[in-house]
Amino acid sequence: MKRFVSCVLAVSMVGSLTACSGSESKNYAVSYDDIAVGDVSSGVSVHDPSILEVDGTYYIYGSHMTAAKSTDLLNWESIADGYMKTNPVYGQIYDVADEAFAYAGSKDSIIKTDDGGTHVWAPDVIFNETTGLYYMYYCTSSTWNASNICYATSTSPEGPFEWQGALIYSGFSNRNIEYTDVLDYVDEDFAKKTYIKAGAYNYEDYPNAIDPTVFYDKSGRMWMVYGSWSGGIFLLELDPSTGLVIHPSADEENNVDAYFGKRLIGGGHISIEGPYIMYDPDTDYYYLFVSYGNLTSNGGYQIRVFRSNEVDGEYIDMNGEYPGKSAMHQNYGLKLSGNYKLPSLERAYMATGHNSAFVDSDGKEYVVYHTRFNDGTENHSPRVHQMLMNQEGWPCMLPYQTQGETVFDTGYEEADVVGRYYMIDQGTDISSDIANPIIIYLNNDYSLDGKNVSGSWSMVDETYYMSLTIDGEDYSGVFCKMWDEAGTEVMTFSAVGSNKSLWGVKY
């Protein structure tokens, strides 16, 4: 039986149409005049948020030694912010700075930083069921490809986390490979011929040791997925009794390297980073989330997802494909979110990316990311949206950030969903373009029409499942009642097809 997930409310929609047919006169012009505008702010800035739930409290950890906590996934309280010895979550790292930053991350490192400063990026925290401690995995980083994945432990999710050691190195050359542990696992001749190219690190084939995230598979084994641009996304198993890497045997045919682990997707220094793997026990799939584009507000930053029946792949998209080395990667991966503007938003959301994801203790599933805004700045803020799986087991990210909505297996009546929708198409591009809404109507004869679009829609009785066909393209998704940014109760849909996401909001 499908678990109950989120979205139920008795809805009073502004300007909704309870019955309409393809023959009625309709207004397809987009207007926000009668729609309230709001700004549900998180109250904190946490970049690259990775989430952990502990006894009903949610923690997000981010780059630049930030962290925050919440009890509702909406309002966040900062508990750590910035590079300082007094930082209560991360500050202990400065007590061992000579070790923690020996290779990368400060002006005194083996590999000097581009700006001479300290860099601690993209942490992820997991409760280790074997040791009973919280383990934080993060990187100290120097240049765009020279980094070092480290780990730290604590008895509390709020720290302090005590640095334990370095795990994986990248960005080395013939001059400094001896300062890494690479030669403990591979032959020196092999390392210098393979990992080093023309005297420098072979970044197109091998990873940047950054953006680590750690998870348990369905059999209880612990894994770390990592990588940013460079050679792509890689996977390594961890020993739960120590938190250390279990280096595999090399298997060139299956893209397994003895030091870096298995390459899952990417390579050739294309924009792919921020990997996160979530297992869904209902669908029995592992979902690999990544981000494409540049992280600035006009850089086209966005969330993509692939899935696999096995933890180590292969991870494929809705077309059964994945990006290999130097692939035109915009053609691969289901795009969940990019730049978009919806009714009730004061500003367009820009560069929505570098997400984590989780299944809550009550069975609901969420995606957690940071967004910038179309306001001329690079200010950013975390957001949490609920995901519902469609009938085919692909995640459909709901249009608005979660505010406690709940959907049940019994779904909705036809009268609840027929009417006028503001719909956006997230597309598959990687650009600064904003997905703006058009008006469409879901008619009570199951036709669909809008300006320059036509098609049909359907719903599965006594469920929240729905489908759309628009101009010959098929999309499978879900209906869900929720609150928009201004607190108005609205019916929404989220549907996916051909690696694209469509969102609709009924007014």
Side-chain angles (χ1 to χ4, degrees):
M1 179 178 178
K2 182 71 178 178
R3 59 172 176 263
F4 98 89
V5 281
S6 111
C7 284
V8 97
L9 314 163
V11 179
S12 61
M13 269 112 14
V14 178
S16 66
L17 302 178
T18 57
C20 60
S21 70
S23 62
E24 291 187 10
S25 176
K26 297 169 184 170
N27 183 3
Y28 298 117
V30 174
S31 173
Y32 298 140
D33 291 345
D34 297 326
I35 299 175
V37 175
D39 185 6
V40 183
S41 176
S42 69
V44 299
S45 293
V46 177
H47 200 261
D48 309 329
S50 177
I51 194 160
L52 173 73
E53 180 193 5
V54 181
D55 298 329
T57 297
Y58 305 91
Y59 295 88
I60 50 174
Y61 306 87
S63 292
H64 314 300
M65 295 171 64
T66 57
K69 65 180 180 180
S70 172
T71 56
D72 62 5
L73 296 172
L74 184 66
N75 301 288
W76 295 90
E77 173 191 349
S78 176
I79 59 173
D81 187 13
Y83 297 111
M84 58 189 76
K85 292 183 179 180
T86 56
N87 186 309
V89 176
Y90 305 83
Q92 185 272 349
I93 195 173
Y94 289 111
D95 295 339
V96 292
D98 289 347
E99 295 178 273
F101 299 110
Y103 179 72
S106 79
K107 59 183 174 59
D108 299 319
S109 302
I110 299 299
I111 299 179
K112 306 296 187 292
T113 58
D114 286 336
D115 61 7
T118 296
H119 297 293
V120 177
W121 286 353
D124 184 54
V125 176
I126 189 171
F127 179 71
N128 187 312
E129 298 169 0
T130 300
T131 65
L133 296 173
Y134 294 92
Y135 279 61
M136 176 182 284
Y137 293 82
Y138 57 88
C139 76
T140 59
S141 189
S142 291
T143 69
W144 57 271
N145 70 2
S147 303
N148 185 194
I149 294 177
C150 305
Y151 78 113
T153 61
S154 176
T155 58
S156 166
E158 298 190 23
F161 283 88
E162 298 185 0
W163 186 85
Q164 299 296 324
L167 297 174
I168 295 291
Y169 298 80
S170 68
F172 47 81
S173 66
N174 286 328
R175 298 190 310 276
N176 49 42
I177 191 173
E178 63 186 278
Y179 295 102
T180 74
D181 66 347
V182 172
L183 301 184
D184 293 341
Y185 302 98
V186 298
D187 176 81
E188 182 173 359
D189 288 340
F190 172 86
K192 291 185 174 181
K193 289 178 181 178
T194 307
Y195 303 145
I196 298 169
K197 188 175 181 179
Y201 184 64
N202 181 6
Y203 63 85
E204 291 193 349
D205 292 327
Y206 294 96
N208 187 2
I210 194 173
D211 294 353
T213 59
V214 179
F215 63 99
Y216 286 99
D217 68 14
K218 62 182 178 182
S219 64
R221 294 166 68 183
M222 184 181 285
W223 300 83
M224 178 176 72
V225 61
Y226 70 101
S228 174
W229 293 62
S230 295
I233 305 304
F234 282 69
L235 181 73
L236 280 164
E237 188 171 2
L238 301 180
D239 181 348
S241 66
T242 62
L244 299 176
V245 170
I246 300 173
H247 289 274
S249 299
D251 184 350
E252 186 174 352
E253 182 178 350
N254 291 303
N255 293 315
V256 179
D257 179 79
Y259 182 68
F260 291 112
K262 182 171 183 177
R263 185 206 314 274
L264 298 180
I265 55 176
H269 199 55
I270 60 172
S271 67
I272 188 168
E273 63 181 19
Y276 200 95
I277 292 177
M278 181 195 82
Y279 174 69
D280 183 320
D282 281 357
T283 65
D284 198 26
Y285 280 112
Y286 295 91
Y287 295 89
L288 169 61
F289 300 85
V290 295
S291 290
Y292 289 176
N294 291 303
L295 56 80
T296 56
S297 61
N298 64 354
Y301 212 46
Q302 59 191 252
I303 301 170
R304 301 274 183 144
V305 66
F306 301 81
R307 73 182 187 186
S308 173
N309 292 118
E310 304 295 334
V311 67
D312 59 349
E314 83 185 348
Y315 285 89
I316 58 175
D317 63 17
M318 298 189 76
N319 297 324
E321 299 176 332
Y322 63 91
K325 181 181 174 184
S326 302
M328 297 297 290
H329 56 305
Q330 68 267 24
N331 298 323
Y332 301 92
L334 167 56
K335 184 178 177 181
L336 292 182
S337 178
N339 305 327
Y340 65 88
K341 179 72 166 70
L342 282 173
S344 83
L345 298 182
E346 285 191 331
R347 304 153 292 176
Y349 280 17
M350 306 293 289
T352 58
H354 200 121
N355 73 286
S356 52
F358 73 109
V359 182
D360 204 351
S361 56
D362 60 9
K364 299 177 182 178
E365 295 180 330
Y366 297 95
V367 60
V368 186
Y369 65 95
H370 70 254
T371 183
R372 289 178 164 83
F373 306 94
N374 188 28
D375 61 1
T377 76
E378 295 300 331
N379 295 332
H380 54 80
S381 182
R383 290 292 187 271
V384 182
H385 289 228
Q386 189 179 171
M387 295 183 298
L388 301 177
M389 295 293 172
N390 69 9
Q391 285 187 288
E392 294 73 37
W394 285 104
C396 297
M397 181 173 162
L398 296 182
Y400 293 109
Q401 60 181 319
T402 186
Q403 297 186 61
E405 67 279 351
T406 299
V407 69
F408 296 94
D409 288 339
T410 51
Y412 305 101
E413 299 295 327
E414 180 184 315
D416 294 329
V417 301
V418 168
R420 181 187 68 172
Y421 286 79
Y422 285 66
M423 186 189 78
I424 62 171
D425 181 346
Q426 296 278 3
T428 59
D429 66 317
I430 305 173
S431 72
S432 60
D433 292 345
I434 297 171
N436 284 297
I438 64 170
I439 299 294
I440 68 163
Y441 289 85
L442 302 188
N443 302 311
N444 56 15
D445 63 358
Y446 296 102
S447 65
L448 175 156
D449 58 78
K451 187 176 182 179
N452 300 320
V453 299
S454 63
S456 61
W457 70 279
S458 65
M459 60 189 299
V460 180
D461 289 344
E462 299 185 352
T463 78
Y464 48 83
Y465 296 126
M466 56 87 69
S467 62
L468 304 168
T469 298
I470 300 179
D471 296 337
E473 293 272 355
D474 295 326
Y475 302 87
S476 174
V478 297
F479 284 117
C480 181
K481 291 179 182 178
M482 61 189 314
W483 287 278
D484 70 10
E485 202 85 354
T488 304
E489 296 174 341
V490 290
M491 175 62 75
T492 73
F493 69 75
S494 177
V496 298
S498 300
N499 285 333
K500 298 193 299 183
S501 294
L502 305 182
W503 292 350
V505 186
K506 180 181 174 184
Y507 289 97

